[in-house]
Amino acid sequence: MKKIVILFLVLSSSYSSFAGFLLLPMDEVSQQNHLKAYGVTYWVLAQNYKASWLLNYRGGSFLLPDTAEIRKECQIRGVSFEILSDSEAAQIQDEISSPSQNMETVILEKAPKIAVYTPKGKQPWDDAVTLVLTYAEIPFTPIYDEEVLADGLLLYDWLHLHHEDFTGQYGKFYGSYKNTPWYIEQKRDAELLATQLGFSKVSQAKLAVSKKIRDFVIGGGFMFAMCSATDSFDIALSAEGVDICEPMFDGDPSDANYQSQIDYNQAFAFKNFILERNPNAYEFSDIDTTNKRAMIPMEKDYFTLMEYSAKWDPIPTMLCQNHTQLVKGFMGQTTAFDRELVKNNVLVMGECLINGEARYIHGERGKGMFTFFGGHDPEDYRHQVGDAPTVLDLHPNSPGYRLILNNVLFPAARKKKQKT
């Protein structure tokens, strides 16, 4: 009961002039637009209100102050809401606080400042995070190598890594696309930028960027990455001082026996991986399971979200909030991670047991945290180069995109130490 009183004292500091609360339900049947509900909650925080994230209550619902402007914002964005009196909200909080319920209330205090690491001349296919942030109307700032190397990350709380290749091998597209205009232009632009930044090779520039991002996380930042940005980031850090690029990528041979020089201690999430030496192979290492998925047909490709104790482990609980525990799988250059190659101190929050895959993982580094999500686009099963972007108006309740947005709101939470 004491916990409930404290909660309402905190909330009432923002809600004192309002009679009640608005509940944004996040269960499967009540919310007509799950994705935009995150955007409304972010907007509320940006207006200097506090909000509450009701973990495991009706799919991870949000409790907001009841004001005319917030009601209007919900209506404009097509977000379902329910009006609660003080007593109704108290009953919900009483249910959540019960020791018998795997639920918890987390107070969201401040809208995080968001940066998306993405190239200026973006490739002709979309990035799921940029797509959903735009759809949910959550503001973000695009940054790239120049800003990162100039310590621009100090301005942000949360960073997303675009589907980048941090190893300097141009996405390992050489085998299939080396003669296409877009590949030639991308390679030329990357080399020019590296030179402008004072590096003789793209791989050297990308390593410097990777180390700045590493320091951002160690200093307390939140980093989220999808698809090839996950494993290529770890590979770049682990290969510092080692030339793993073949001549078509950097103009000189790779180091002999470079595999033996990989320092797995520098990697965030992965261990004991073997690099792919073939420059024509569309693959960085054996971390990715894309080529090991013959036994998983599209209609059976799902992964399961883990269930955690909301009261004892609120961090992974927040990151796994959804209206379903079974999420439709999707492919990418890095589709999923070989579970045997995930470090023991990294949480596997989503897995496909059929193939021993980790799809969604989370860990800590220094004072900060990172989340890696395998695959390219949660609503485009096998996204190909040149395909049209996904239209999220057709997928407003996407469980896969909800996982991305969980990470976006996560830094807004009042810090509470994880128990296990």
Coordinates of all heavy atoms in Angstrom, one line a residue, residues 72-150:
K72 N -6.8 14.9 -27.3 CA -6.8 15.3 -28.7 C -5.7 14.7 -29.5 O -5.9 14.2 -30.6 CB -6.7 16.8 -28.7 CG -6.8 17.4 -30.2 CD -6.7 18.9 -30.1 CE -6.7 19.5 -31.6 NZ -6.6 21.0 -31.6
E73 N -4.5 14.6 -28.9 CA -3.4 14.0 -29.5 C -3.7 12.5 -29.8 O -3.3 12.0 -30.9 CB -2.1 14.1 -28.7 CG -0.8 14.0 -29.4 CD -0.6 15.1 -30.4 OE1 -1.1 16.2 -30.2 OE2 0.1 14.8 -31.4
C74 N -4.3 11.8 -28.9 CA -4.6 10.4 -29.1 C -5.6 10.3 -30.3 O -5.5 9.4 -31.1 CB -5.3 9.8 -27.9 SG -4.1 9.5 -26.5
Q75 N -6.6 11.2 -30.3 CA -7.6 11.1 -31.4 C -7.0 11.4 -32.7 O -7.3 10.7 -33.7 CB -8.7 12.1 -31.0 CG -9.6 11.7 -29.8 CD -10.4 12.8 -29.3 OE1 -10.2 14.0 -29.6 NE2 -11.4 12.5 -28.4
I76 N -6.1 12.4 -32.8 CA -5.5 12.7 -34.1 C -4.7 11.6 -34.6 O -4.7 11.3 -35.8 CB -4.6 14.0 -33.9 CG1 -5.5 15.2 -33.6 CG2 -3.7 14.2 -35.1 CD1 -4.7 16.5 -33.3
R77 N -4.0 10.9 -33.7 CA -3.1 9.8 -34.1 C -3.8 8.5 -34.2 O -3.1 7.5 -34.6 CB -1.9 9.7 -33.1 CG -1.1 11.0 -33.0 CD 0.2 10.8 -32.3 NE 0.9 12.0 -32.0 CZ 2.2 12.1 -31.7 NH1 2.9 11.0 -31.6 NH2 2.7 13.3 -31.4
G78 N -5.0 8.4 -33.8 CA -5.8 7.1 -34.0 C -5.4 6.1 -32.9 O -5.4 4.9 -33.1
V79 N -5.1 6.6 -31.7 CA -4.7 5.8 -30.6 C -5.8 5.6 -29.6 O -6.4 6.5 -29.2 CB -3.4 6.4 -29.8 CG1 -3.1 5.6 -28.6 CG2 -2.2 6.4 -30.8
S80 N -6.1 4.3 -29.3 CA -7.2 4.0 -28.4 C -6.9 4.4 -27.0 O -5.7 4.2 -26.5 CB -7.6 2.5 -28.4 OG -7.8 2.1 -29.8
F81 N -7.8 5.0 -26.2 CA -7.6 5.3 -24.8 C -8.8 5.1 -24.0 O -9.9 5.1 -24.5 CB -7.0 6.7 -24.6 CG -8.0 7.8 -25.1 CD1 -8.9 8.4 -24.1 CD2 -8.0 8.3 -26.4 CE1 -9.7 9.4 -24.5 CE2 -8.9 9.3 -26.7 CZ -9.8 9.8 -25.8
E82 N -8.6 4.9 -22.7 CA -9.7 4.7 -21.8 C -9.6 5.8 -20.7 O -8.5 6.0 -20.2 CB -9.7 3.3 -21.2 CG -9.9 2.2 -22.2 CD -9.7 0.8 -21.7 OE1 -9.6 0.7 -20.4 OE2 -9.6 -0.1 -22.5
I83 N -10.7 6.4 -20.3 CA -10.6 7.4 -19.2 C -10.9 6.7 -17.9 O -11.8 6.0 -17.7 CB -11.7 8.5 -19.5 CG1 -11.5 9.1 -20.9 CG2 -11.7 9.5 -18.4 CD1 -12.6 10.0 -21.3
L84 N -10.0 7.0 -17.0 CA -10.1 6.4 -15.6 C -10.2 7.4 -14.6 O -9.6 8.5 -14.6 CB -8.8 5.6 -15.3 CG -8.4 4.5 -16.3 CD1 -7.1 3.8 -15.8 CD2 -9.4 3.4 -16.4
S85 N -11.0 7.1 -13.6 CA -11.1 8.0 -12.4 C -9.9 7.7 -11.5 O -9.2 6.6 -11.7 CB -12.4 7.7 -11.6 OG -12.5 6.4 -11.2
D86 N -9.7 8.5 -10.5 CA -8.6 8.2 -9.5 C -8.8 6.9 -8.9 O -7.9 6.1 -8.7 CB -8.6 9.3 -8.5 CG -8.1 10.6 -9.0 OD1 -7.5 10.6 -10.1 OD2 -8.2 11.6 -8.3
S87 N -10.1 6.5 -8.5 CA -10.3 5.3 -7.8 C -10.1 4.1 -8.8 O -9.6 3.0 -8.4 CB -11.7 5.2 -7.3 OG -12.7 5.3 -8.3
E88 N -10.4 4.2 -10.1 CA -10.2 3.1 -11.0 C -8.7 2.9 -11.2 O -8.2 1.8 -11.3 CB -10.9 3.4 -12.3 CG -12.4 3.3 -12.3 CD -13.1 3.9 -13.5 OE1 -12.5 4.8 -14.1 OE2 -14.1 3.3 -13.9
A89 N -8.0 4.0 -11.3 CA -6.5 3.9 -11.5 C -5.9 3.3 -10.2 O -4.9 2.5 -10.3 CB -5.9 5.3 -11.7
A90 N -6.4 3.6 -9.1 CA -5.9 3.0 -7.8 C -6.1 1.5 -7.8 O -5.3 0.8 -7.3 CB -6.5 3.7 -6.6
Q91 N -7.3 1.1 -8.3 CA -7.6 -0.3 -8.3 C -6.6 -1.1 -9.2 O -6.1 -2.2 -8.9 CB -9.0 -0.5 -8.8 CG -10.1 -0.1 -7.8 CD -11.5 -0.3 -8.4 OE1 -11.7 -0.7 -9.5 NE2 -12.5 0.1 -7.6
I92 N -6.3 -0.5 -10.3 CA -5.3 -1.1 -11.3 C -3.9 -1.2 -10.6 O -3.2 -2.2 -10.6 CB -5.2 -0.3 -12.6 CG1 -6.5 -0.4 -13.4 CG2 -4.0 -0.7 -13.4 CD1 -6.6 0.5 -14.6
Q93 N -3.5 -0.1 -9.9 CA -2.2 -0.1 -9.2 C -2.2 -1.1 -8.1 O -1.2 -1.7 -7.8 CB -1.9 1.3 -8.7 CG -1.6 2.4 -9.8 CD -0.4 2.1 -10.5 OE1 0.4 1.3 -10.1 NE2 -0.2 2.8 -11.6
D94 N -3.3 -1.3 -7.4 CA -3.4 -2.2 -6.4 C -3.2 -3.7 -6.9 O -2.5 -4.5 -6.3 CB -4.8 -2.1 -5.7 CG -4.8 -3.0 -4.4 OD1 -3.9 -2.9 -3.6 OD2 -5.8 -3.7 -4.3
E95 N -3.8 -3.9 -8.1 CA -3.7 -5.2 -8.7 C -2.2 -5.4 -9.1 O -1.7 -6.5 -8.9 CB -4.6 -5.3 -9.9 CG -4.4 -6.6 -10.7 CD -5.3 -6.6 -12.0 OE1 -6.0 -5.7 -12.3 OE2 -5.1 -7.6 -12.8
I96 N -1.6 -4.4 -9.7 CA -0.2 -4.5 -10.2 C 0.7 -4.8 -9.1 O 1.7 -5.6 -9.2 CB 0.1 -3.3 -11.0 CG1 -0.6 -3.2 -12.3 CG2 1.7 -3.2 -11.2 CD1 -0.4 -1.9 -13.1
S97 N 0.5 -4.1 -7.9 CA 1.4 -4.2 -6.8 C 1.3 -5.5 -6.0 O 2.2 -5.8 -5.2 CB 1.2 -3.0 -5.9 OG 0.0 -3.1 -5.3
S98 N 0.3 -6.3 -6.3 CA 0.1 -7.5 -5.5 C 1.3 -8.5 -5.8 O 1.7 -8.7 -6.9 CB -1.2 -8.2 -6.0 OG -1.3 -9.5 -5.5
P99 N 1.8 -9.1 -4.7 CA 2.9 -10.0 -4.9 C 2.5 -11.2 -5.8 O 3.4 -11.9 -6.3 CB 3.2 -10.5 -3.5 CG 2.7 -9.4 -2.6 CD 1.5 -8.9 -3.3
S100 N 1.2 -11.5 -5.9 CA 0.8 -12.7 -6.7 C 0.8 -12.4 -8.2 O 0.6 -13.3 -9.0 CB -0.6 -13.1 -6.2 OG -1.6 -12.1 -6.5
Q101 N 1.0 -11.1 -8.6 CA 0.9 -10.7 -10.0 C 2.3 -10.4 -10.5 O 3.1 -9.7 -9.9 CB 0.0 -9.5 -10.1 CG -1.4 -9.7 -9.7 CD -2.2 -10.7 -10.6 OE1 -1.9 -10.8 -11.8 NE2 -3.1 -11.4 -10.0
N102 N 2.6 -11.0 -11.7 CA 3.9 -10.7 -12.4 C 3.7 -9.4 -13.1 O 3.7 -9.3 -14.4 CB 4.3 -11.8 -13.3 CG 5.7 -11.6 -13.9 OD1 6.5 -10.8 -13.4 ND2 6.0 -12.2 -15.0
M103 N 3.6 -8.3 -12.4 CA 3.4 -7.0 -13.0 C 4.2 -5.9 -12.2 O 4.6 -6.2 -11.1 CB 1.9 -6.5 -13.0 CG 0.9 -7.5 -13.7 SD -0.8 -6.9 -13.5 CE -1.7 -8.2 -14.3
E104 N 4.4 -4.8 -12.8 CA 5.1 -3.7 -12.1 C 4.8 -2.4 -12.8 O 4.5 -2.4 -14.0 CB 6.6 -4.0 -12.1 CG 7.5 -2.9 -11.4 CD 7.2 -2.8 -10.0 OE1 6.1 -2.5 -9.6 OE2 8.2 -3.1 -9.2
T105 N 4.9 -1.3 -12.0 CA 4.7 0.0 -12.6 C 6.1 0.7 -12.7 O 6.9 0.7 -11.7 CB 3.8 0.9 -11.7 OG1 2.5 0.3 -11.7 CG2 3.8 2.3 -12.2
V106 N 6.5 1.2 -13.8 CA 7.7 1.9 -14.0 C 7.4 3.3 -14.5 O 6.6 3.5 -15.4 CB 8.6 1.2 -15.1 CG1 9.8 2.1 -15.4 CG2 9.0 -0.2 -14.6
I107 N 7.9 4.3 -13.7 CA 7.6 5.7 -14.1 C 8.6 6.1 -15.2 O 9.8 5.9 -15.1 CB 7.8 6.6 -12.8 CG1 6.8 6.2 -11.7 CG2 7.6 8.0 -13.2 CD1 7.0 6.8 -10.4
L108 N 8.0 6.8 -16.2 CA 8.8 7.3 -17.3 C 8.9 8.8 -17.0 O 7.8 9.5 -16.9 CB 8.1 7.1 -18.6 CG 7.8 5.6 -19.0 CD1 7.1 5.4 -20.3 CD2 9.1 4.8 -19.0
E109 N 10.1 9.3 -17.0 CA 10.3 10.7 -16.6 C 10.6 11.7 -17.6 O 10.3 12.9 -17.5 CB 11.4 10.7 -15.5 CG 11.0 9.9 -14.3 CD 12.0 10.0 -13.2 OE1 13.2 9.7 -13.4 OE2 11.6 10.4 -12.1
K110 N 11.4 11.3 -18.6 CA 11.9 12.3 -19.6 C 12.1 11.7 -21.0 O 12.6 10.6 -21.1 CB 13.3 12.8 -19.1 CG 13.9 13.9 -20.0 CD 15.3 14.3 -19.4 CE 15.9 15.4 -20.3 NZ 17.2 15.8 -19.8
A111 N 11.7 12.4 -22.0 CA 11.8 11.9 -23.3 C 13.3 11.8 -23.7 O 14.0 12.8 -23.7 CB 11.1 12.8 -24.3
P112 N 13.8 10.6 -24.1 CA 15.2 10.5 -24.4 C 15.5 11.2 -25.8 O 14.7 11.2 -26.7 CB 15.4 9.0 -24.5 CG 14.0 8.4 -24.8 CD 13.1 9.3 -24.1
K113 N 16.7 11.7 -25.9 CA 17.2 12.3 -27.1 C 17.7 11.2 -28.0 O 18.6 10.4 -27.6 CB 18.2 13.3 -26.8 CG 17.7 14.5 -26.0 CD 18.8 15.6 -25.8 CE 18.2 16.8 -25.0 NZ 19.3 17.8 -24.7
I114 N 17.2 11.1 -29.2 CA 17.5 9.9 -30.1 C 18.3 10.3 -31.3 O 18.0 11.3 -32.0 CB 16.1 9.3 -30.5 CG1 15.3 8.8 -29.3 CG2 16.3 8.2 -31.5 CD1 13.9 8.5 -29.6
A115 N 19.3 9.5 -31.5 CA 20.1 9.6 -32.7 C 20.1 8.3 -33.5 O 20.0 7.2 -33.0 CB 21.6 10.0 -32.4
V116 N 20.1 8.5 -34.8 CA 20.1 7.3 -35.7 C 21.4 7.4 -36.6 O 21.5 8.4 -37.4 CB 18.8 7.2 -36.6 CG1 19.0 6.1 -37.7 CG2 17.6 7.0 -35.8
Y117 N 22.3 6.5 -36.5 CA 23.5 6.4 -37.2 C 23.1 5.9 -38.6 O 22.8 4.7 -38.8 CB 24.5 5.5 -36.5 CG 25.8 5.4 -37.3 CD1 26.8 6.3 -37.2 CD2 26.0 4.2 -38.1 CE1 28.0 6.1 -38.0 CE2 27.2 4.1 -38.8 CZ 28.2 5.0 -38.7 OH 29.3 4.8 -39.5
T118 N 23.1 6.8 -39.6 CA 22.7 6.4 -40.9 C 23.4 7.3 -42.0 O 23.7 8.4 -41.7 CB 21.2 6.6 -41.1 OG1 20.8 6.1 -42.4 CG2 20.7 8.0 -40.9
P119 N 23.8 6.7 -43.1 CA 24.6 7.4 -44.1 C 23.7 8.5 -44.7 O 22.5 8.4 -44.9 CB 25.0 6.3 -45.1 CG 24.0 5.2 -44.9 CD 23.6 5.3 -43.5
K120 N 24.4 9.6 -45.2 CA 23.7 10.7 -45.8 C 23.0 10.3 -47.1 O 21.9 10.7 -47.3 CB 24.8 11.8 -46.1 CG 25.5 12.4 -44.9 CD 24.5 13.0 -43.9 CE 25.3 13.8 -42.8 NZ 26.1 12.9 -41.9
G121 N 23.7 9.5 -47.9 CA 23.1 9.0 -49.1 C 22.6 7.6 -48.9 O 23.2 6.7 -49.3
K122 N 21.5 7.5 -48.2 CA 21.0 6.2 -47.7 C 20.8 5.3 -48.9 O 20.3 5.7 -50.0 CB 19.7 6.4 -47.0 CG 19.2 5.1 -46.3 CD 17.9 5.3 -45.5 CE 18.1 6.3 -44.4 NZ 16.9 6.4 -43.5
Q123 N 21.1 4.0 -48.7 CA 21.0 3.0 -49.8 C 19.5 2.8 -50.2 O 18.6 3.3 -49.4 CB 21.5 1.6 -49.3 CG 23.0 1.5 -49.1 CD 23.4 1.9 -47.7 OE1 22.7 2.6 -47.0 NE2 24.6 1.4 -47.3
P124 N 19.2 2.2 -51.3 CA 17.8 2.2 -51.8 C 17.0 1.1 -51.1 O 16.2 0.4 -51.8 CB 18.0 1.9 -53.3 CG 19.3 1.1 -53.4 CD 20.2 1.7 -52.3
W125 N 17.1 1.0 -49.9 CA 16.2 0.1 -49.1 C 16.1 0.7 -47.7 O 17.0 1.4 -47.2 CB 16.6 -1.4 -49.1 CG 17.9 -1.7 -48.6 CD1 18.3 -2.0 -47.3 CD2 19.2 -1.6 -49.4 NE1 19.6 -2.2 -47.2 CE2 20.2 -2.0 -48.5 CE3 19.5 -1.4 -50.7 CZ2 21.5 -2.1 -48.9 CZ3 20.8 -1.5 -51.1 CH2 21.8 -1.8 -50.2
D126 N 15.0 0.4 -47.1 CA 14.7 1.1 -45.8 C 15.3 0.6 -44.6 O 15.8 -0.5 -44.6 CB 13.1 1.1 -45.7 CG 12.6 -0.3 -45.5 OD1 12.9 -1.1 -46.4 OD2 11.9 -0.6 -44.5
D127 N 15.3 1.3 -43.5 CA 15.7 0.9 -42.2 C 14.5 0.9 -41.3 O 13.8 1.9 -41.2 CB 16.8 2.0 -41.7 CG 17.1 1.8 -40.2 OD1 17.4 0.7 -39.9 OD2 17.0 2.8 -39.5
A128 N 14.3 -0.2 -40.7 CA 13.1 -0.4 -39.9 C 12.9 0.6 -38.8 O 11.8 1.1 -38.5 CB 13.0 -1.8 -39.3
V129 N 14.0 0.9 -38.1 CA 13.9 1.8 -37.0 C 13.6 3.3 -37.4 O 12.7 3.9 -36.9 CB 15.3 1.8 -36.2 CG1 15.2 2.9 -35.1 CG2 15.5 0.5 -35.6
T130 N 14.3 3.7 -38.5 CA 13.9 5.0 -39.0 C 12.4 5.1 -39.5 O 11.7 6.0 -39.2 CB 14.8 5.4 -40.2 OG1 16.2 5.2 -39.9 CG2 14.6 6.8 -40.8
L131 N 12.0 4.0 -40.1 CA 10.6 3.9 -40.5 C 9.6 4.0 -39.4 O 8.7 4.7 -39.5 CB 10.5 2.5 -41.3 CG 9.3 2.3 -42.2 CD1 9.4 3.2 -43.4 CD2 9.2 0.9 -42.6
V132 N 9.9 3.2 -38.3 CA 8.9 3.2 -37.2 C 8.9 4.5 -36.4 O 7.9 4.9 -35.9 CB 9.0 1.9 -36.4 CG1 10.2 2.0 -35.4 CG2 7.7 1.7 -35.6
L133 N 10.1 5.0 -36.2 CA 10.2 6.3 -35.5 C 9.4 7.4 -36.3 O 8.7 8.2 -35.7 CB 11.7 6.8 -35.4 CG 12.5 6.0 -34.4 CD1 14.0 6.4 -34.5 CD2 12.0 6.2 -33.0
T134 N 9.5 7.4 -37.6 CA 8.8 8.4 -38.4 C 7.3 8.1 -38.3 O 6.5 9.1 -38.1 CB 9.3 8.3 -39.9 OG1 10.7 8.6 -39.9 CG2 8.5 9.3 -40.7
Y135 N 6.9 6.9 -38.4 CA 5.5 6.5 -38.3 C 4.9 6.9 -37.0 O 3.8 7.4 -36.9 CB 5.3 5.0 -38.6 CG 3.9 4.5 -38.5 CD1 3.0 4.8 -39.6 CD2 3.4 3.8 -37.4 CE1 1.7 4.4 -39.5 CE2 2.1 3.4 -37.4 CZ 1.2 3.7 -38.4 OH -0.1 3.3 -38.4
A136 N 5.6 6.6 -35.9 CA 5.1 6.9 -34.5 C 5.3 8.3 -34.2 O 4.8 8.7 -33.1 CB 5.9 6.0 -33.5
E137 N 5.9 9.1 -35.0 CA 6.1 10.6 -34.8 C 7.0 10.8 -33.6 O 6.7 11.7 -32.8 CB 4.8 11.3 -34.7 CG 3.9 11.1 -36.0 CD 2.5 11.8 -35.9 OE1 2.5 13.0 -35.7 OE2 1.5 11.1 -35.9
I138 N 8.0 10.0 -33.5 CA 9.0 10.2 -32.5 C 10.2 10.9 -33.1 O 10.8 10.3 -34.0 CB 9.4 8.9 -31.8 CG1 8.2 8.3 -31.1 CG2 10.6 9.1 -30.9 CD1 8.5 6.9 -30.5
P139 N 10.6 12.1 -32.7 CA 11.7 12.8 -33.3 C 13.1 12.2 -33.1 O 13.4 11.6 -32.0 CB 11.6 14.2 -32.7 CG 11.0 14.0 -31.3 CD 10.0 12.8 -31.5
F140 N 13.9 12.2 -34.1 CA 15.3 11.7 -34.0 C 16.2 12.5 -34.9 O 15.7 13.3 -35.8 CB 15.3 10.2 -34.5 CG 15.0 10.0 -35.9 CD1 16.0 10.0 -36.9 CD2 13.7 9.8 -36.3 CE1 15.6 9.7 -38.2 CE2 13.3 9.6 -37.6 CZ 14.3 9.6 -38.6
T141 N 17.5 12.4 -34.7 CA 18.5 13.2 -35.4 C 19.4 12.2 -36.2 O 20.0 11.3 -35.5 CB 19.3 14.0 -34.5 OG1 18.5 15.0 -33.8 CG2 20.3 14.8 -35.3
P142 N 19.4 12.3 -37.5 CA 20.4 11.4 -38.2 C 21.8 11.9 -38.0 O 22.1 13.1 -38.1 CB 20.0 11.6 -39.7 CG 18.6 12.3 -39.7 CD 18.6 13.1 -38.4
I143 N 22.7 11.0 -37.7 CA 24.1 11.4 -37.6 C 24.9 10.3 -38.3 O 24.5 9.2 -38.6 CB 24.6 11.4 -36.1 CG1 24.4 10.1 -35.4 CG2 23.8 12.5 -35.3 CD1 25.1 10.0 -34.1
Y144 N 26.2 10.7 -38.6 CA 27.0 9.7 -39.3 C 28.5 9.9 -38.8 O 28.7 10.5 -37.7 CB 26.9 9.8 -40.8 CG 27.3 8.5 -41.5 CD1 26.7 7.3 -41.1 CD2 28.2 8.5 -42.6 CE1 27.0 6.1 -41.8 CE2 28.5 7.3 -43.2 CZ 27.9 6.1 -42.8 OH 28.3 5.0 -43.5
D145 N 29.4 9.4 -39.5 CA 30.8 9.3 -39.1 C 31.3 10.6 -38.6 O 32.0 10.7 -37.5 CB 31.7 8.8 -40.2 CG 31.4 7.3 -40.5 OD1 30.7 6.7 -39.8 OD2 31.9 6.9 -41.6
E146 N 31.1 11.7 -39.3 CA 31.6 13.0 -38.9 C 31.2 13.4 -37.5 O 32.0 13.9 -36.7 CB 31.2 14.1 -39.9 CG 31.4 13.8 -41.4 CD 30.2 13.2 -42.1 OE1 29.7 12.2 -41.6 OE2 29.8 13.7 -43.1
E147 N 29.9 13.3 -37.3 CA 29.3 13.7 -36.0 C 29.8 12.8 -34.8 O 30.1 13.2 -33.7 CB 27.8 13.7 -36.0 CG 27.2 14.7 -36.9 CD 27.0 14.3 -38.3 OE1 27.5 13.2 -38.7 OE2 26.5 15.1 -39.1
V148 N 29.9 11.5 -35.1 CA 30.3 10.5 -34.1 C 31.8 10.8 -33.7 O 32.1 10.9 -32.5 CB 30.2 9.1 -34.6 CG1 30.8 8.1 -33.6 CG2 28.7 8.7 -34.8
L149 N 32.6 11.0 -34.7 CA 34.1 11.2 -34.4 C 34.3 12.6 -33.8 O 35.3 12.8 -33.1 CB 34.9 11.1 -35.7 CG 34.9 9.7 -36.3 CD1 35.7 9.6 -37.6 CD2 35.5 8.7 -35.3
A150 N 33.3 13.5 -33.9 CA 33.5 14.8 -33.3 C 32.8 14.8 -31.9 O 32.5 15.9 -31.4 CB 32.8 15.9 -34.2

